[in-house]
Every structure is written in structure tokens, then in C-alpha cells.
Amino acid sequence: MTDLLTASSLDAFYGDFQALFGVNFRISEGESVALIGANGAGKSTFLKVLTGLLPVPGQSLTFDGTDLTQHPAHEIAKLGIAMSPEGRRLFPSLSVRENLLLGATVAREGPWNLQAVEDLFPILTEKANTPSTLLSGGQQQMVAIGRALMANPKILLLDEVSLGLAPVIIRDIYSALPRIRENGTSVILVEQDIGQAVAVSDRLYCLQEGRISLEGPSATLDRADISAAYFGRKKEHA
């Protein structure tokens, strides 16, 4: 498969503090890639780079043949990268439907519209006129994902989808992932739950202190290797 997005030897900084060190990453069309790592490992930083929220001038970051480092965040959204952020970040003064419609303002063509999103998450039809502040955490997460889908992205970034949610709600949200990918949308998933990350992804990257410590097909990676890469310790041998 042809790579849709590639990062080569990517570094990222917050002022003088270096957060990412020589990161190599790739994702193909329709692929699901999980990004795991402990708190502070650099996962959210990497997503900020991909969306233009953290500029990285002079770095090697290519999306669908375009140099992303030359584009600000609003242009990257129009190119086809959308994110459901950690904490959901819905607009509290707006209803569910109004929050969803904000995602369509980038005016990209594609399969996702209000009807398609509400078909994906039927509860959002029932709650259409409800203020986002009155939703449960799981419902808010559905709105955040739906808002990102309304932008008809080529790559959907999901940052900490399961954080703070009950297992049954997590299951319902992740059950929508195959339908999202059916339309050719690639998914980059940041997930604290290693088992969940392995289960829903084609490939997996582990970040440890801003560096890629492990990469490979999710189904074949050894759980002990994942644990060692996650916590930054040597794999124990029997």
C-alpha cells in the first residue's frame, strides 16, 4: 500500500524543550495505526504536529504528497486531517447538532454528513437539540468523533477515546471504527489501554520519552516486547 502520511526523523520542540526525537512514522489509506506510551511520552505532541497546532518548520512530514510543515492548522484541516481531541473540547453553549455542524465548515466533499454521523451514533439524533454540557462522557465523545468526521478527513486522529469511560461505552464507540474505515478513512489512535489499542489497529507504534521504542503489526507483536517498550525496560527472558 502507498503511504498516505510519512514522518522521517521528526523532531519537535516546546521552546527549548525537545519533545520528539527522530520519529519515523507512516500510515496508508484505510489503515488503523495505534500510538501508545506512558503519560508524557509524546503522543499528544505528535498529534499536535500532524494538525499544525505545533509547527515544525524544516522537518520531513508529508501528507498525500504535500509538505505539512508549510501549512497552518486551518489549511491542514482542509487538506484532510481532523482530530477528536483529548477531553472532547465541545462548545458548551452549542447543542449536539450545532457542534456537529461546525465540523463541516471546512467544506470537504465525502461520505460524512449529519445523517451519516447520526446513523453511526443513533443517540445523537435523540440528543440533537441537547446542550453538550448535559451529555454523558460517552455521548460527548461520540459528538467529538462525529464533529471530526463531518470534516470528511482522509486521516482521523483519535486522542484518548476511552479515557474516563465505562467499558460498555468504550465498546460501543470502538464498534463504529470498522464503518469509519470502510470509507477509506485512515485512523491514528492514541490509546492508554494497550489491549484495546492492539485489538483495533493494524500496526502499532510505542513512544517512550519522545522516541519510537517499538513498531510493528499489532497482531504479531509480543506482549512482553510491548510492555518493555512502554515502560522503557529490558524484556525479561524466561
Side-chain angles (χ1 to χ4, degrees):
M1 293 186 291
T2 302
D3 291 335
L4 181 59
L5 180 144
T6 60
S8 300
S9 301
L10 180 70
D11 299 327
F13 296 82
Y14 294 102
D16 293 331
F17 174 75
Q18 186 166 358
L20 296 177
F21 299 81
V23 169
N24 295 310
F25 181 94
R26 63 180 178 84
I27 186 170
S28 301
E29 185 175 344
E31 190 177 27
S32 175
V33 175
L35 187 61
I36 64 170
N39 289 336
K43 307 182 301 297
S44 292
T45 295
F46 183 65
L47 297 191
K48 288 179 181 178
V49 168
L50 297 187
T51 53
L53 297 176
L54 180 62
V56 286
Q59 297 291 302
S60 179
L61 182 61
T62 303
F63 168 62
D64 203 20
T66 298
D67 179 2
L68 282 189
T69 69
Q70 301 300 310
H71 295 273
H74 69 280
E75 291 181 2
I76 290 175
K78 291 181 179 180
L79 288 171
I81 296 179
M83 179 164 65
S84 174
E86 180 181 358
R88 296 118 198 184
R89 299 184 187 176
L90 304 181
F91 289 88
S93 63
L94 301 182
S95 69
V96 166
R97 185 159 291 172
E98 288 168 336
N99 268 282
L100 291 175
L101 289 172
L102 284 176
T105 57
V106 298
R108 281 180 51 82
E109 293 185 359
W112 293 105
N113 52 36
L114 197 59
Q115 184 64 57
V117 168
E118 292 181 346
D119 286 346
L120 185 68
F121 298 121
I123 189 63
L124 300 187
T125 302
E126 178 184 331
K127 301 288 186 178
N129 297 314
T130 302
S132 61
T133 52
L134 299 182
L135 302 179
S136 68
Q139 292 165 356
Q140 289 181 13
Q141 187 66 75
M142 292 174 187
V143 176
I145 294 171
R147 180 180 60 188
L149 288 173
M150 289 284 287
N152 278 295
K154 293 182 180 179
I155 298 181
L156 173 65
L157 311 181
L158 300 177
D159 194 2
E160 303 288 11
V161 167
S162 65
L163 191 64
L165 301 183
V168 64
I169 302 301
I170 296 170
R171 182 196 64 202
D172 289 345
I173 290 174
Y174 273 115
S175 67
L177 200 59
R179 289 181 60 186
I180 293 172
R181 295 177 60 193
E182 282 174 4
N183 292 311
T185 305
S186 303
V187 176
I188 299 177
L189 169 74
V190 168
E191 177 58 72
Q192 290 279 3
D193 185 330
I194 295 175
Q196 186 70 68
V198 169
V200 301
S201 63
D202 300 310
R203 290 187 303 108
L204 179 144
Y205 288 84
C206 184
L207 271 170
Q208 206 270 329
E209 295 184 349
R211 295 175 171 85
I212 298 293
S213 54
L214 183 70
E215 182 269 330
S218 302
T220 61
L221 286 174
D222 182 83
R223 196 58 180 263
D225 287 329
I226 295 175
S227 180
Y230 189 102
F231 294 106
R233 61 173 181 252
K234 293 182 179 180
K235 178 182 175 182
E236 296 180 1
H237 296 280

